[in-house]
Amino acid sequence: MSTSSTSCKIDIGRLEGKENWSTWRCKVLLLLRGTPGGLDAINGNLKPPTHPDAAANPAAMASYQQALQDYNEKDSAAMLILMANMSDVTLQKVMRLTSAKQIWDELHTLFDGTSEDKSYNLCYSFFSYRKDPLHDMSMHISKLKNIWHELKVELQKDEAKYDLPDILIICKILETLPDDS
């Protein structure tokens, strides 16, 4: 496992599809946060420099070349992190794209679904959630809180900015506790 900027592959697991998109996205965001320009690249805040006009002096051209190299290094590092940590099937869906932002947007299109679909699926997951007998209590509550958090975030994206009262998560935790707790 290497963390140097020249070797951006850290084993966070491969993005296979919708089934592991949520956990993969969390891990890759953490990895990108530790990469200079990584988050800026996927969020679209990293922009290529504007090419100077033909009458630009050598100093302006040198400055442009340096800025272009910096942009390419940051965008390439983010692309490498994304592409090196996905399955070949997923890679084939994004390999035509030429920037980290384009790849990130495409992954969201492929695996997040529409906001309405995601809200419905999260709501369904939350209200149908039952404790897995193999999970201890902390894992059970953690999984429920993760679904709850994703649902709240998704509902805040809506124009109406729905806000769920915290009493719902408390009630759900209590409802799913085993009788022997």
Side-chain angles (χ1 to χ4, degrees):
M1 179 164 67
S2 173
T3 58
S4 73
S5 60
T6 57
S7 178
C8 296
K9 186 169 190 266
I10 293 177
D11 189 14
I12 61 170
R14 301 245 184 243
L15 174 59
E16 300 293 337
K18 285 187 180 193
E19 62 273 4
N20 73 330
W21 164 246
S22 181
T23 55
W24 182 88
R25 182 183 66 221
C26 179
K27 291 175 188 177
V28 86
L29 284 171
L30 182 61
L31 188 54
L32 286 165
R33 188 180 338 160
T35 302
L39 289 179
D40 287 335
I42 64 165
N43 291 330
N45 297 329
L46 182 67
K47 307 272 189 220
T50 305
H51 194 284
D53 60 28
N57 63 32
M61 284 303 293
S63 177
Y64 164 75
Q65 289 297 329
Q66 183 59 47
L68 182 61
Q69 181 178 344
D70 184 57
Y71 165 80
N72 284 333
E73 286 174 3
K74 289 176 178 175
D75 194 58
S76 293
M79 288 177 67
L80 181 60
I81 287 170
L82 295 171
M83 295 174 118
N85 291 293
M86 58 179 65
S87 70
D88 288 343
V89 172
T90 304
L91 178 61
Q92 289 174 1
K93 294 175 183 177
V94 299
M95 63 190 220
R96 72 186 184 286
L97 304 170
T98 59
S99 74
K101 169 86 171 109
Q102 291 174 347
I103 293 168
W104 190 247
D105 289 348
E106 183 71 8
L107 292 173
H108 277 274
T109 300
L110 291 168
F111 304 126
D112 259 344
T114 65
S115 186
E116 294 83 19
D117 289 346
K118 189 169 182 186
S119 295
Y120 172 81
N121 290 337
L122 288 168
C123 198
Y124 180 80
S125 293
F126 178 76
F127 286 107
S128 65
Y129 188 81
R130 299 287 176 251
K131 183 181 178 304
D132 185 326
L134 301 175
H135 292 161
D136 63 12
M137 195 53 59
S138 64
M139 175 61 87
H140 168 66
I141 291 172
S142 222
K143 284 181 153 282
L144 242 164
K145 283 182 175 180
N146 287 339
I147 296 169
W148 177 252
H149 173 74
E150 285 186 61
L151 178 58
K152 286 184 81 159
V153 166
E154 197 60 34
L155 290 176
Q156 284 296 307
K157 291 178 184 176
D158 192 282
E159 288 178 17
K161 300 235 183 269
Y162 297 106
D163 193 24
L164 298 173
D166 288 337
I167 191 71
L168 289 177
I169 183 74
I170 294 167
C171 290
K172 185 62 180 177
I173 289 171
L174 292 174
E175 180 226 342
T176 59
L177 291 177
D179 293 333
D180 59 349
S181 294

